[in-house]
Amino acid sequence: MSVTIAITGKGGVGKTTIAALMVQCLVRLGETPVLAVDADSNANLHEALGVSYDASIGGIREEALQHARDLVGVSKQEFLDLRVQEALVEQAGYDLIVMGRPEGPGCYCYANNVLRDVIQRLAGSYRHLVVDNEAGLEHLSRRTLLKVDTLCIVSDCSVRGIRTARRVAALVEEMGTPVAARGLIVNRVPEGVLPPVVRAEVEASGLPLLATVPADDSVAAMDAGGMAVGDIPADAPARQVVNALVAEMLRAAQGGRA
Ligand SMILES: Nc1ncnc2c1ncn2[C@@H]1O[C@H](COP(=O)(O)OP(=O)(O)OP(=O)(O)O)[C@@H](O)[C@H]1O
Ligand SMILES: [Mg+2]
């Protein structure tokens, strides 16, 4: 049983925070190896996880373009394969791959095709995948072509936020993104309880509510201190809610297979 979880939503709603907590939860449960994919061109999942990276897929693509004339056929494929392996940030229980910046001017078709292939093969050697996406990238699978089991649309705790999440869901559908299930995560909820107007908007959205993540002082404190959000305590309210959600997703995936 394996699960690919993708996180989307408008800017600053907590996608990266939730993605990092999900990765850590899977690792803690021994659901390894996990591949964490930072698909935001302004990469910061590594910071949330408290690790650093040297190379990104975007950088590798640029390199491939530079060497296009020197490398042909199989050697080009091998070159890209090797570079992607080198770009993996290996950690206990999980690896991180950073997609990096989108392509500049030039013809990247060949490199993109090969890279998609490399990423898909790479993904196959992990038990679970967690993909942190860029705000506004509803065509989220175009760069990786990964099939998503659960798309988590994150929203802040406001009526407007839920409406935006609804639009994001509609756009994802329009783009034909291959997503098996999708749902809403409302983040930074005061005291962890949805105000009635927000709850009503969630119900009107028709999107299943996956989780209500409380506004968590320990998350804010990590952020203010320039520390990794992944270092919040084991009993931090936000972490506990994300843990419960991950456990539920695993149960659902297991049930779905039986
Ligand atoms: N549950 C929470 N409680 C308190 N603060 C939170 C919570 N979740 C996220 N934050 C804070 O909200 C801010 C945005 O979070 P984050 O970077 O995870 O959002 P994002 O959706 O990934 O943003 P971007 O669109 O820029 O990638 C950060 O300062 C983070 O510390
Ligand atoms: Mg982010």
Side-chain angles (χ1 to χ4, degrees), residues 2-137:
S2 74
V3 183
T4 296
I5 305 167
I7 323 283
T8 190
K10 70 168 183 166
V13 288
K15 299 180 291 297
T16 303
T17 301
I18 290 168
L21 295 177
M22 283 181 170
V23 170
Q24 290 182 327
C25 176
L26 288 166
V27 171
R28 193 182 48 83
L29 292 173
E31 292 281 336
T32 56
V34 177
L35 180 63
V37 182
D38 190 342
D40 188 341
S41 56
N42 179 21
N44 53 15
L45 182 58
H46 65 286
E47 281 170 2
L49 289 165
V51 301
S52 56
Y53 73 98
D54 294 324
S56 71
I57 298 291
I60 296 167
R61 191 173 40 220
E62 292 295 336
E63 225 184 315
L65 201 67
Q66 306 283 315
H67 297 298
R69 268 166 306 166
D70 320 332
L71 295 159
V72 281
V74 173
S75 67
K76 209 165 186 175
Q77 170 106 34
E78 279 170 0
F79 168 83
L80 290 169
D81 243 325
L82 183 71
R83 278 288 192 270
V84 171
Q85 287 300 327
E86 286 171 354
L88 276 178
V89 180
E90 294 177 11
Q91 295 293 307
Y94 77 92
D95 291 347
L96 169 72
I97 189 84
V98 177
M99 297 302 292
R101 60 180 186 275
E103 57 259 47
C107 181
Y108 293 81
C109 295
Y110 179 81
N112 277 339
N113 288 341
V114 174
L115 283 170
R116 275 187 196 137
D117 199 54
V118 170
I119 291 164
Q120 273 180 314
R121 257 185 297 128
L122 179 73
S125 48
Y126 292 86
R127 191 149 173 198
H128 304 295
L129 261 73
V130 177
V131 187
D132 179 23
N133 288 287
E134 184 165 337
L137 271 196

